[in-house]
Amino acid sequence: MNYETARKFLIDQTITNEDSPDALLTRLKQGKPPVPGQITSILLAMKVVFEGLKDATMMDREIVSALFQLAVKTQQLFAAGRKAGVEWPPLLKEDLVRIAIATESILSGEWQSLH
């Protein structure tokens, strides 16, 4: 996966319309868990984006917005789903924390361990 592919993939995960039924934010809004392998693919794409941006002094709004949504909105949707009685997969909370850590790594320019 190259930077452009990873960037597009992450942005696509935040699209919340009927054209993107498997986007992470769409699934969480619907109270559905991620599709198998989706979190792993997101984390891989985040590592590729990190490598592509680690020396950058500026980032475009589109990727920053996507990173924010993946780090913050997913946690909010998780909490709202839990409050509404959604039975999330047991490791989803930890996976969303890993996404937040990867986002912080991209924004700071220093990769942090995701474990």
Side-chain angles (χ1 to χ4, degrees):
M1 181 180 306
N2 64 28
Y3 172 80
E4 286 302 322
T5 303
R7 179 186 178 280
K8 181 179 180 338
F9 177 74
L10 293 176
I11 291 166
D12 288 350
Q13 294 304 305
T14 65
I15 295 172
T16 56
N17 60 40
E18 56 277 349
D19 295 335
S20 301
D22 287 334
L24 182 60
L25 261 63
T26 300
R27 293 189 63 82
L28 295 179
K29 277 186 179 181
Q30 296 171 347
K32 296 178 182 175
V35 295
Q38 188 169 21
I39 299 293
T40 301
S41 295
I42 288 169
L43 292 170
L44 173 62
M46 292 181 98
K47 182 64 172 171
V48 171
V49 166
F50 168 80
E51 291 298 329
L53 294 175
K54 68 181 176 184
D55 296 324
T57 57
M58 295 175 56
M59 294 181 205
D60 67 271
R61 285 180 196 240
E62 196 172 23
I63 190 63
V64 172
S65 175
L67 293 170
F68 171 82
Q69 291 180 68
L70 289 170
V72 177
K73 293 230 179 205
T74 57
Q75 303 258 353
Q76 293 170 342
L77 292 168
F78 177 88
R82 181 180 274 173
K83 188 174 181 179
V86 174
E87 299 255 348
W88 296 115
L91 297 178
L92 182 57
K93 176 78 171 147
E94 290 82 3
D95 286 339
L96 297 179
V97 169
R98 286 183 189 89
I99 288 172
I101 292 169
T103 295
E104 183 180 353
S105 295
I106 292 167
L107 296 176
S108 72
E110 292 184 34
W111 191 257
Q112 300 175 38
S113 173
L114 301 181
H115 303 298

